[in-house]
Every structure is written in structure tokens, then in C-alpha cells.
Amino acid sequence: MTDRTVQVENLVVGYGGRPVLTDISLHINSNEVLCLIGHNGAGKSTLLKAIFGLVPHEGGRILFNGKPAVTEPRAMTMAGMSMVPEGRGVFPGMTVEETMSLGMWAAGVPEKARPERIEWVMSILPMMKKFYRTRAGDLSGGQQQMVSIGRALLSRPRCLLMDEPSIGLAPKLFQDLCGPIRELQQKTGMSILLVEQNVKEALKISDRVVVMKSGRMTWEGQPSELSDNKKLMELY
Amino acid sequence: MLFLQLLANGLQVGAIYALTAAGFSLIFGSTKIFHFAHGATFAIAAYLFHFALAGLGLHWTFAVAVAALSAVVFGVLLDRLMYAPIQRHEGSFFTVFVASFGIGIVVQNLLGSVFGRGFMSVSTPLSNSIEVMPGLYLSPLNGLAVVVAIVCFVALHFFMTHTFIGKGLRALSENPELVRTFGLSPRRLSTYAFALGSLLVVPGAIFTAAGTGINPAVGHHVMLISLAATIVGGIGSLRGAACAGLLIGVAENLAMWKLGTQWSEAITFAILFFFIIFKPSGFFGRATVS
Ligand SMILES: Nc1ncnc2c1ncn2[C@@H]1O[C@H](COP(=O)(O)OP(=O)(O)OP(=O)(O)O)[C@@H](O)[C@H]1O
Ligand SMILES: [Mg+2]
């Protein structure tokens, strides 16, 4: 058996009694990029939030590194998980510098390691240097997204959940970003759960794909099986 | 001369309002908890300062420490024992308001039955007024209140921009869910907000106890004014609360000059209505707190 970073078994999640995820089972291996696709409202974001402990689950269970996950993002962060949320993952009133320092404090990065950690993130996202002292609210959507990704990397997570990171990014920029992230992932053995609408680019860096529809898993396979568009159309 | 006298009084009172309003604004802005019992914190700090100084005969530094400690403990306990459970059960804004209002009344009655319902004031060497010009009486307390308020605001600004807790509180005021996504606990930050916000009433409580004097309803009055100042300043803006507090304090006193004492509270609300009608977002209002 390969090493499973995250294991989700028969997960049921609902908002105020209305079921959104019904019986989801999936796993993320260590050292892999798992791509999750599905139409709008399929429940992708909800699944990510449930894994990260932002929303409670009503049934089933989630294991992280073999241990039951806690419904508390703080605990999950400390255990080595990190999430790039859907939409704007920054505080408009805070500068990028403040956002990063808050992120490191939140992730429990020891004080001594902080300058080096920032350097490390900057080496992955070099464009951030240009607007380091700007208020996040004054940045473009794509720049904000970069900050959000950089912030999520600060803790050097074992498992990174990314909810539509390409939103707001120019296609070219997303392509440029995919390379370093894939490289980083392979170097560190980190696992990534990637939710993307930009399926073409996402599949290029994925090891495995799952498709969701109305709160259920409907397909699992290799990215190569989806490269022919007909199959993809059929699944959606 | 009367004008200068009232201006001096207004600045002192305004400084006290500014600090109390900033405390309320800090708590409300970051936690969205309508902490009406903030006025009770004020009253408790004022009475315990008075009791420590006059009743127990402690040195004033200890009395200040007693006041500060009681304010922080009261604020944090309320957050932990009352607001946290209400939030856990997703209680409405209204539940919070009624609970908080109730606590204010309980505290007012408790203080009344323990310390008496009458006016009390404690005289310190600093309270004695000196006639600096014919007809203009100033006590060191007048100036000290303003200086202390300025020092507190500078310190608060530094805290909010340079410490992790300060940044965390700012983040919490913008987006609690994102705060959780970062891996921070809004609950824990809430405790800090209450500790800090409650601490901000302490100078005002002390200056009131040592100056104009206190009665059990003092918290209620200060709270009402602070609330107006918070709205006039723009909800969630500490700078706005500070300026508005000062403005109201001065306006209240200058109103006495032309209109007579009975108008002082009305003027506060006249200012409030003016802002609600002509500039609903307040001095430095941001549209983010909604
Ligand atoms: N906070 C919430 N309260 C109530 N219902 C919600 C909430 N968040 C999501 N939902 C509902 O849950 C369902 C799944 O939403 P979710 O955001 O997980 O979908 P998604 O797959 O991420 O969609 P998209 O591709 O548009 O981001 C939707 O029907 C949505 O209306
Ligand atoms: Mg989504």
C-alpha cells in the first residue's frame, strides 16, 4: 500500500440539514498531485473545507497521516496541512509583509526561521518582491492570489489544498506558476489536492484525477485518460 | 474665561470618552460582539480604584493596578463565560445585546448595594484645581488625562501594527473565516480583544473617580456616549472613535456655555443624528464592517 497522506471515508457534509456531500471516499497519496474537477456547485470547495476542518462533517471520517483529523483548522495547520482558499485569500487592509508575518505566526514558524522562510517563498514566487509593502486591497486579483499561495506555503505543509488557484491569474502566469509548484512538490514529497476549472493546465501537473458531481465521486483515473476531450465531456 | 474653562473640561472628558469608545470599537470591530457591558467594566474599574485608594488606603500605583486587573478579568470572563457559549450556539445579535445589557444592569445594582448609590469621589493631590488665570481653574488631572490618552493611542497604534496579536485582531475584523484558514483561532483572538479593549477604559475610569466623581450609573452614561462616538467615528475605526470621543466631550461642555447644563447629553445625540443623516459611514468609516 502506498503512503496515504489523507484518507476520506464515506464522508457526509451538509449545510443546515441540506446534504452537499453524500458518501465521499477518496485518498491523497504522499508525493502526488491529485486533481479534483467537477461542475459548479458539485461540492469541491466543501470537500476541501471539510478536510481542513473549516466545516464539520456529519458522517464518515477523515484521516490525516493515519490519525483522525480534527474539525479545527488550527490543529490541521499545526499537523502540516495548509489551504489556499477559493477567492481572495488576503486581508485587504494589510500589507503583503504583514500578511506574511501573520501567516508565519499562525503556522508556528519559529522566530529564527522566519527570514529564511520568507526568502524561500520569494524564490518560488519572485514577483511578490515587487509589491511586498503594498496593501493587499490595492493589489490586482492575480497578485492577491500569489500572496495567498505564498502564505499557504509558509508552513512548508505536508499537504496543500488548493481551491482554484488559477482564478484571477493570467493563463500564462498560471502556467509559469505550475512549474515551480510541481518542482517543489516533487522535491519535498508534499501532496497536493488541486481543484481547478482550468483543467488543461491542471492535468499537466497532476498524477491522478477524480471527478465529482452533485456531492459524489463519479470517476477516478489517470490524467492521460482525460486528455481526449470527449471523455471529459461525457463525465461532466 | 468660561469658554476656556469649558474647553479644558471638554478636553478631559473627551479624552476619557475617546479611550472608552476605542475599547468598545476594538472589541466590536474584531469580534462583532456588541459588548454593551463595556460600560460595566468602566464602572467596576472606577469603583475598585476608589475602594483600593480610599477604602484600603493603598498607594495609588496599586490602586491603578487593581483597577486594570479587575477590568481585564471582568472583560475576559464575560467573553469566555457568556459570549463564547452564545456564539457556540450561534445566538443572534439580539441575544448578545440583551445578555450584555443585562450584565450592565446587574453590575450597576451590585455596585450600588456594595458601595452605596450616591456620588463618590476620591481626592488626590492631582485633583486640586489651581486658578491659573482669573476664572480659569485647572487641575493637573485635566492635562494628565489628555496626555495619558495620547500615550495610550500611540501605544495602541503601535500594538495594532507591530505585534502579531494586533495584526491578528485587524485580520479578524476583516474576515474571520480567513483567519481560521490561516490557522489562527478567532476564539483566542477574541480573548485578546476583550483584554485590550477592557484595559482601555481604565484611564478614563480612574480620571473620572479622581475627578468629577462616580455613581453606579456612571458606566451606563459613558457607554452611551462611547456608542455614539463609535458610530460618529465610523464603526470599527479606532482613529475615528478617538476623534469622535474628543469631539463629543468638547461639544458637550461647550454646549453648557451657550445652552445650559441640561443640554449636554442632547448635544451628543444631535451630533450622532447629524452623522447618521449626512455621513452614515462616520469620520473614517469603512464599508467593511457590515
Ligand atoms: N456556507 C454555505 N451555506 C449553505 N450552503 C452552501 C454553503 N457553501 C456552499 N453551499 C452549497 O453547497 C453546494 C456545493 O458548494 P461548493 O462551494 O462546495 O461547490 P463547488 O464545487 O466548489 O463549486 P464552484 O465550482 O462554483 O466553486 C452548493 O449547492 C452551495 O449552494
Ligand atoms: Mg468552489
Side-chain angles (χ1 to χ4, degrees), chain B residues 211-272:
Chain B
T212 47
I214 49 177
N215 68 356
V218 67
H220 208 72
H221 172 76
V222 169
M223 186 56 219
L224 221 53
I225 307 282
S226 302
L227 203 53
T230 305
I231 295 168
V232 169
I235 291 169
S237 162
L238 295 179
R239 211 161 30 126
C243 295
L246 203 59
L247 171 76
I248 291 174
V250 171
E252 203 179 66
N253 275 274
L254 291 186
M256 288 190 221
W257 181 39
K258 287 286 177 207
L259 303 171
T261 336
Q262 71 273 27
W263 288 96
S264 74
E265 211 159 67
I267 201 79
T268 303
F269 288 93
I271 294 174
L272 176 63

Side-chain angles (χ1 to χ4, degrees), chain A residues 41 43-46 86 163-164 195 197:
Chain A
K44 307 179 295 291
S45 299
T46 304
E86 188 172 28
D163 201 344
E164 309 200 18
V195 171
Q197 301 287 358

Side-chain angles (χ1 to χ4, degrees), chain B residues 1 4 13 18 32 34 40 50 106 110 116 123 142 152 158 164 210 221 223 267:
Chain B
M1 262 326 115
L4 280 183
V13 175
K32 306 293 178 287
F34 194 89
H50 183 278
V106 170
L110 275 177
S123 174
N142 284 123
C152 284
F158 182 84
F164 289 121
H221 172 76
M223 186 56 219
I267 201 79

